[in-house]
Structures are given as C-alpha cells and as structure tokens.
Amino acid sequence: MTRHHHHHPGRRHDVITDVHHQIVCRHQVEIEVWPPRAEVHFRDDWTADPATAQVRFEAQVYNSSQGHTWETHDINGGPGQGTIDASGLYRSPPKGALASGTTELVVATSRENPLRKAFAWVTLVGLGPRPVQAAEVAVFPRRVNLYYRNGANNNLIDDCNKQRQFEATAFNTGAQVEWLVNGVLQGVVGPWFLYQTPASGGSAVVTVRARLQGNPGVFADAKVSQLNYDWPGV
C-alpha cells in the first residue's frame, strides 16, 4: 500500500487517500479475423468461376488456448445466408431473392470468453443462375398473296399460287406448334402447315397462326392476302 499526500492550496489540512495497486497476471482474451472484408459470388452465379463462391477466413485468438467458433449472421443479427465450417471456409448461398451487394457478417467467437468476438464483412455479388430464355415461335413466310381456287379468272392461275406451305420453328421449348386460321384450330400439329384458299371470295386478309400447344400466349402470325385474278380483256 502506498500513501499519497495531496496538498490542496487554500485547504487547512492535507487529504490522505489510499491507492491500491493491483497486479493483473492475466491478459484480456483478444481475437482477430482476416481478411476483414471479402467479396464472394453467389454459389449459383453463372458468370463466375465456382472458386469465387467461397473464401477462407483465419482467426487468431490471443491469451487463450481454447480456440474459437465460427458463424454467419445477416447485418440485423439473424442467421446468415452463407455457411462457414470449423476450418473457416465460408461458402456463399444461392442467389434466390438476395440482391447483388447483400452484405453479411462472419463472426469468430472466443471459446474462453464468448463476449470476445471478431467480425468480417462478406459482400455477395453476381447474377445467379443463367436466365431462362422465353419460349418463342417464328413462322415463315410472314406474308403471302394467294388466289382463290375458283371465281373470276382464277382458273388461269396455276394451283401452286392457291396454296402455301408454312413452316414454324419453336425456340427454348419442347412444346409442339398447333395451327389456326383466323382463330380456328385446324387440327394440325407440328412444324408444317399447308394452307389452301377457299373456292371463292372477295379480297380478304387471313391470319395463319402458329402457337405453342399449352401456351397460347406464345405464337407467330402470317398474313395471307386472298385475291381474285381478273384477266385483262376477257
């Protein structure tokens, strides 16, 4: 024990205070994590190398031989999206609904004193899985002029100008194409459709539609102008 005498000017007597010097033999447990920040791609990011979907963290615990544990948290303290194993290997989550740039925490906790923690920031980046291509249908030809089979002088027109074979190609789908004329199903399924003009009629435009079976919102239309031929001078 040491006795200190403090002299306060203007006071009539000295104030005596006792100061106890305590010797601390143990140092505080401390913990550090490296790297302090990492950028990791989503596990299912189609633009990235899978190796960029993980990162290894190291923790150093000072003044304790009991080691540490790992865990991940979101920045609000809830459970993390990614995982970290006992060796410090962090693996990113799949993208799901997470935004690119989502940040979460990797936490190393001292076993001996669980109040001693160290944190690293992980920023999750990337696009996630390759986007699914929308189904599409293309039809060829897109526009054609045909003559009615009879009427006017259409008998002078070769029959090959009174019918036309259409071809449809479906993309990004295994579905078959079905054919409609002016909205009426023709009972034809597959890539080919032979359209034949009616016997007679006035000038009209007919819509030949190739559409996906089971997915009627996906289609392509061709326009057929149906004509009568008037031979000049007859």
Side-chain angles (χ1 to χ4, degrees):
M1 185 183 292
T2 325
R3 195 165 282 266
H4 296 277
H5 290 267
H6 300 282
H7 181 71
H8 295 276
R11 303 282 278 283
R12 293 207 184 106
H13 56 84
D14 289 346
V15 177
I16 297 170
T17 54
D18 290 336
V19 178
H20 295 266
H21 290 281
Q22 222 169 355
I23 307 301
V24 178
C25 299
R26 291 199 71 251
H27 290 288
Q28 186 70 265
V29 173
E30 300 289 351
I31 186 167
E32 281 181 1
V33 166
W34 190 89
R37 290 184 172 274
E39 188 175 273
V40 181
H41 281 91
F42 292 111
R43 183 186 309 166
D44 54 357
D45 189 52
W46 67 275
T47 64
D49 183 321
T52 64
Q54 57 187 46
V55 62
R56 189 174 297 281
F57 289 93
E58 308 280 343
Q60 181 73 47
V61 184
Y62 301 97
N63 307 317
S64 170
S65 58
Q66 294 179 31
H68 59 277
T69 58
W70 290 106
E71 58 192 328
T72 63
H73 291 299
D74 68 20
I75 54 177
N76 299 314
Q81 301 285 341
T83 60
I84 191 164
D85 66 15
S87 75
L89 183 66
Y90 173 89
R91 289 186 173 88
S92 65
K95 184 171 186 308
L98 296 170
S100 186
T102 295
T103 297
E104 63 179 7
L105 294 173
V106 165
V107 185
T109 302
S110 156
R111 289 185 198 274
E112 186 168 331
N113 181 353
L115 296 178
R116 292 287 167 175
K117 297 176 184 289
F119 301 91
W121 297 86
V122 175
T123 303
L124 300 167
V125 296
L127 304 175
R130 184 185 290 274
V132 176
Q133 301 283 168
E136 284 182 75
V137 175
V139 68
F140 179 82
R142 297 292 302 275
R143 184 167 285 282
V144 64
N145 294 332
L146 294 178
Y147 292 92
Y148 289 103
R149 287 206 292 279
N150 308 320
N153 304 120
N154 293 350
N155 57 325
L156 300 174
I157 297 294
D158 191 277
D159 280 353
C160 68
N161 293 310
K162 299 174 183 176
Q163 60 187 27
R164 186 62 189 263
Q165 177 127 297
F166 290 90
E167 180 180 10
T169 308
F171 300 96
N172 308 315
T173 175
Q176 289 268 42
V177 168
E178 58 191 7
W179 295 89
L180 301 85
V181 174
N182 283 351
V184 178
L185 275 167
Q186 298 297 296
V188 177
V189 173
W192 302 98
F193 173 63
L194 181 66
Y195 177 76
Q196 295 175 300
T197 58
S200 60
S203 293
V205 176
V206 171
T207 299
V208 173
R209 173 168 292 186
R211 79 178 184 194
L212 283 187
Q213 278 195 311
N215 196 350
V218 180
F219 59 84
D221 286 346
K223 298 295 185 186
V224 179
S225 297
Q226 296 186 154
L227 311 166
N228 287 302
Y229 180 69
D230 289 309
W231 179 256
V234 170

